[in-house]
Structures are given as structure tokens and as C-alpha cells.
Amino acid sequence: MTRIGIIGSAGRMGNALQSAVAAAGHEFAGGIDKGGDPKALAQAADVLVDFSAPAALEFNLDAAIHAGIPIVVGTTGLEERHHWLIDAAAVSIPVLQTGNTSLGVTLLAHLVREAAARLGDDWDIEIVETHHRMKVDAPSGTAMLLGEAVAKGRGVALTDEAVRGRDGITGARKAGTIGFAALRGGSVAGDHSVHFLADNERLTFSHLAENRAIFAKGAIRAAEWMLGQKPGRYTMPEVLGL
């Protein structure tokens, strides 16, 4: 039985994670939220799962390092400096960071990368995501994950090719760009589609999340897998052996 500590335990994802811990037969080592002590939680756990906020990431990584345990980071809205912190932590402990812990999305990203690698620039690529009205960041972490998969397939940098908003007279679409569109409303857990559009034909890869339980289940599977890893930075595809 693995002791799993949850950072961000009072939120909707935190509740789903607690249920997933129990369903997998593991021990819930405790949970904290804003103002909680991640170091105390880390001392009581074998692995941490973090679905909190970007502002808390540095403290959470420090807690995992101090305790010498792995951490799964599912927090979205990360900036470049957060990835520097993750890289630094990965020298000492196993760190898995992802924009989406769903096993289905992980496979989707793999398929999207393969498609992007085989289809030329005459195929326009647009990523559309829909989330509940309470989501605070856009594009979603999953949309950015899929964008990175497209960029890797094409051998380009996403930062050079991403178009994250269109308004007014934008001119014709530039070949090779990767477009993003974000929709917000209702209680949607997360819908993502990657559209490949060429003259006279279209190809669409989609994933529809019906319940947050899928993200929690994937996060717990990732936590289980991380226990046997050496220090380093890991991703969800490695959990699935992709």
C-alpha cells in the first residue's frame, strides 16, 4: 500500500483524487490547501500529487526534495520559470509534470504527434478546447500539451508557430502555424479536438472528458509508476510506455 499525499485536496480535483486513492487500494496520507504545510505532508507520504496553483509549486517541490520522494505535478498555467524549478528539482528527485493526467489524452497526444510528422504544411492545424465557466487559464494545459505534440511532430518550436487569438482583420492564415481557440461555459470537464484541415479533406482527433475521475485515475497510476524511478523529469507517455 502506497501513502499518497495530495496538494490541493479541497478542490474538485482533490476530492476526485481522494476517491481514486481509495479505489486503487492505497492509503491517503493527507491533504493540504492554501496555507498548508507541504513539508509535513511530504514526511507522511511516499509520493505527492500536486493539483494546486503555480504560485505554490516552488514550495511543493522543495517539500518533495526535503523528504526525498517523487512528485506528480498536474497544476496548469505554468510559466517558463516554473519549468526551470521543475528541471532543478528533477536533479534530486523523480518529477512528473503534465498538462493532463488522462490516459486517453496521453494516447491522443501520441497520435497527434504522429499525424503532424507525416502531414505537410499544406495541412492547417487548429486546436479547440472547451471547459467549465470556472476555469481561470486559457488555453488549457491540455491544449498546450497537444500543441507541443504537434510542434514536435513538425520539428518546430511551439512558441514560434502558435496563434493564440484572432480578432479583427487578421489577414490570411500563415502556413505552418498552430492555432488555438478556447471556449468557456457550463460544467464541461474538458473537451479537446485537434483539427487537420487540407484542401478537400479534414481529419479530427478528439477527446471528451465526462468526469474528473479520469484525471484522478491517471494521476494515481502515474504516482504508482513514479515510485520505481530514479531522479529525473518524466512525462505521462512514459507511464504508458510510449
Side-chain angles (χ1 to χ4, degrees):
M1 182 181 292
T2 301
R3 299 174 300 165
I4 300 178
I6 300 173
I7 304 173
S9 60
R12 287 170 291 189
M13 264 304 299
N15 289 328
L17 284 164
Q18 291 181 53
S19 297
V21 169
H26 297 305
E27 177 183 344
F28 176 49
I32 61 167
D33 289 279
K34 187 175 182 180
D37 183 3
K39 287 189 176 179
L41 177 61
Q43 291 296 331
D46 298 315
V47 57
L48 295 176
V49 177
D50 180 10
F51 277 82
S52 56
L57 180 63
E58 183 172 4
F59 301 102
N60 300 336
L61 290 171
D62 285 345
I65 292 171
H66 184 74
I69 63 173
I71 182 170
V72 175
V73 179
T75 302
T76 60
L78 301 184
E79 300 176 355
E80 187 175 9
R81 67 183 184 87
H82 296 118
H83 290 284
W84 294 340
L85 293 171
I86 292 170
D87 288 339
V91 174
S92 303
I93 58 172
V95 183
L96 187 150
Q97 182 273 321
T98 180
N100 192 302
T101 53
S102 159
L103 302 180
V105 166
T106 300
L107 182 58
L108 173 65
H110 175 75
L111 297 173
V112 164
R113 179 176 177 176
E114 291 295 305
R118 287 162 173 74
L119 301 176
D121 283 353
D122 56 326
W123 287 76
D124 301 321
I125 301 178
E126 296 284 319
I127 300 170
V128 181
E129 53 103 341
T130 305
H131 281 85
H132 54 89
R133 64 172 68 93
M134 302 302 292
K135 188 167 179 61
V136 298
D137 58 309
S140 68
T142 302
M144 297 306 295
L145 181 153
L146 294 170
E148 289 288 356
V150 169
K152 288 178 181 178
R154 285 189 161 177
V156 299
L158 182 61
T159 52
D160 294 337
E161 302 297 342
V163 176
R164 294 176 56 165
R166 297 188 180 98
D167 185 38
I169 302 174
T170 60
R173 190 186 197 283
K174 181 182 176 183
T177 55
I178 302 167
F180 291 86
L183 309 181
R184 296 288 178 268
S187 58
V188 181
D191 293 352
H192 295 84
S193 293
V194 182
H195 301 278
F196 290 76
L197 306 101
D199 292 340
N200 304 313
E201 59 180 327
R202 289 174 287 173
L203 178 64
T204 298
F205 295 87
S206 295
H207 178 273
L208 308 181
E210 298 180 358
N211 191 290
R212 287 179 182 82
I214 65 169
F215 308 123
K217 182 178 180 180
I220 299 308
R221 178 160 171 182
E224 294 169 339
W225 183 84
M226 287 287 280
L227 287 172
Q229 306 308 315
K230 297 178 180 178
R233 183 165 182 168
Y234 299 94
T235 62
M236 284 300 295
E238 291 170 284
V239 176
L240 291 184
L242 298 174

